[in-house]
Coordinates of all heavy atoms in Angstrom, one line a residue:
G229 N 32.0 74.9 139.1 CA 32.2 76.1 139.7 C 30.9 76.7 140.4 O 29.8 76.2 140.0
A230 N 31.1 77.6 141.3 CA 29.9 78.2 142.0 C 30.3 79.6 142.4 O 31.2 79.8 143.1 CB 29.5 77.4 143.3
M231 N 29.6 80.6 141.7 CA 30.0 82.0 141.9 C 28.9 82.7 142.6 O 27.7 82.5 142.4 CB 30.2 82.6 140.5 CG 30.8 84.1 140.6 SD 31.3 84.7 139.0 CE 29.7 84.9 138.2
F232 N 29.3 83.6 143.5 CA 28.4 84.4 144.3 C 28.8 85.9 144.1 O 30.0 86.3 144.3 CB 28.6 84.0 145.8 CG 28.3 82.6 146.0 CD1 29.4 81.7 146.0 CD2 27.0 82.1 146.3 CE1 29.1 80.3 146.2 CE2 26.8 80.7 146.5 CZ 27.8 79.8 146.5
V233 N 27.8 86.7 143.9 CA 28.1 88.1 143.5 C 27.3 89.1 144.4 O 26.0 89.0 144.4 CB 27.7 88.4 142.0 CG1 28.2 89.7 141.6 CG2 28.4 87.3 141.1
L234 N 28.0 90.0 145.0 CA 27.3 91.1 145.7 C 27.3 92.3 144.8 O 28.4 92.6 144.2 CB 28.1 91.4 147.1 CG 27.7 92.7 147.8 CD1 26.3 92.3 148.5 CD2 28.6 93.1 148.9
R235 N 26.1 92.9 144.6 CA 26.0 94.0 143.6 C 25.6 95.3 144.2 O 24.9 95.3 145.2 CB 25.1 93.6 142.4 CG 25.5 92.4 141.7 CD 24.5 92.0 140.6 NE 24.7 90.9 139.9 CZ 25.6 90.7 138.9 NH1 26.1 91.9 138.4 NH2 25.8 89.6 138.2
V236 N 26.0 96.4 143.6 CA 25.6 97.7 143.9 C 25.2 98.3 142.6 O 26.0 98.5 141.6 CB 26.7 98.6 144.6 CG1 26.2 100.0 144.7 CG2 27.0 98.0 145.9
K237 N 23.9 98.7 142.5 CA 23.3 99.2 141.2 C 23.6 98.2 140.1 O 24.0 98.6 138.9 CB 23.9 100.6 140.9 CG 23.5 101.6 141.9 CD 24.1 103.0 141.5 CE 23.8 104.0 142.6 NZ 24.3 105.4 142.3
Q238 N 23.4 97.0 140.3 CA 23.6 95.9 139.4 C 25.1 95.6 139.0 O 25.3 94.7 138.2 CB 22.7 96.2 138.1 CG 21.3 96.2 138.4 CD 20.7 95.0 139.0 OE1 20.9 93.9 138.6 NE2 19.9 95.2 140.1
Q239 N 26.0 96.4 139.5 CA 27.5 96.2 139.2 C 28.1 95.4 140.3 O 27.8 95.6 141.5 CB 28.1 97.5 139.0 CG 27.6 98.3 137.8 CD 27.6 97.5 136.5 OE1 28.7 97.0 136.1 NE2 26.5 97.5 135.8
P240 N 29.0 94.5 140.0 CA 29.7 93.7 141.0 C 30.4 94.6 142.0 O 31.3 95.5 141.7 CB 30.7 92.8 140.2 CG 30.1 92.7 138.9 CD 29.5 94.1 138.6
A241 N 30.1 94.4 143.3 CA 30.9 95.0 144.4 C 31.8 94.0 145.0 O 32.9 94.5 145.6 CB 29.9 95.6 145.5
A242 N 31.5 92.8 145.0 CA 32.4 91.7 145.4 C 31.9 90.4 144.8 O 30.8 90.2 144.5 CB 32.3 91.6 147.0
V243 N 32.9 89.6 144.5 CA 32.6 88.3 143.8 C 33.5 87.1 144.5 O 34.7 87.4 144.7 CB 33.0 88.4 142.3 CG1 32.7 87.0 141.6 CG2 32.3 89.5 141.6
L244 N 32.8 86.1 144.8 CA 33.5 84.9 145.3 C 33.3 83.8 144.3 O 32.1 83.4 144.0 CB 32.9 84.5 146.7 CG 33.3 83.2 147.2 CD1 34.8 83.1 147.6 CD2 32.5 82.9 148.6
F245 N 34.3 83.1 143.9 CA 34.2 82.0 143.0 C 34.8 80.7 143.7 O 35.9 80.7 144.2 CB 35.0 82.2 141.7 CG 34.9 81.1 140.7 CD1 33.6 80.6 140.3 CD2 36.0 80.4 140.3 CE1 33.5 79.6 139.4 CE2 35.9 79.4 139.4 CZ 34.7 78.9 138.9
C246 N 34.0 79.7 143.8 CA 34.3 78.5 144.5 C 34.4 77.3 143.4 O 33.7 77.3 142.4 CB 33.3 78.2 145.5 SG 33.0 79.4 146.8
L247 N 35.0 76.3 143.9 CA 34.8 74.9 143.3 C 33.8 74.2 144.1 O 33.7 74.4 145.2 CB 36.2 74.2 143.2 CG 37.2 74.7 142.3 CD1 38.5 73.8 142.5 CD2 36.8 74.6 140.8
R248 N 33.1 73.3 143.5 CA 32.1 72.5 144.1 C 32.2 71.1 143.7 O 32.7 70.7 142.7 CB 30.6 73.0 143.7 CG 30.3 72.9 142.3 CD 29.0 73.3 141.9 NE 28.7 73.4 140.5 CZ 28.5 72.3 139.7 NH1 28.4 71.1 140.3 NH2 28.3 72.4 138.5
A249 N 31.9 70.2 144.7 CA 31.9 68.8 144.5 C 30.8 68.2 145.4 O 30.9 68.2 146.7 CB 33.2 68.1 144.8
D250 N 29.7 67.6 144.8 CA 28.6 67.1 145.6 C 28.1 68.2 146.6 O 27.7 69.2 146.2 CB 29.0 65.8 146.4 CG 29.3 64.8 145.3 OD1 28.6 64.6 144.3 OD2 30.3 64.0 145.5
R251 N 28.3 68.0 148.0 CA 27.7 68.9 148.9 C 28.8 69.8 149.5 O 28.6 70.5 150.5 CB 27.0 68.1 150.1 CG 25.9 67.3 149.6 CD 25.2 66.6 150.7 NE 24.6 67.5 151.7 CZ 24.7 67.3 153.0 NH1 25.3 66.3 153.5 NH2 24.1 68.2 153.8
A252 N 30.0 69.8 148.9 CA 31.1 70.7 149.4 C 31.5 71.7 148.4 O 31.5 71.6 147.2 CB 32.3 69.7 149.7

Side-chain angles (χ1 to χ4, degrees):
M231 187 171 70
F232 304 88
V233 186
L234 178 70
R235 297 181 184 273
V236 173
K237 298 180 180 179
Q238 300 302 313
Q239 297 303 311
V243 181
L244 170 64
F245 182 57
C246 304
L247 287 177
R248 57 176 175 81
D250 296 321
R251 299 179 66 220

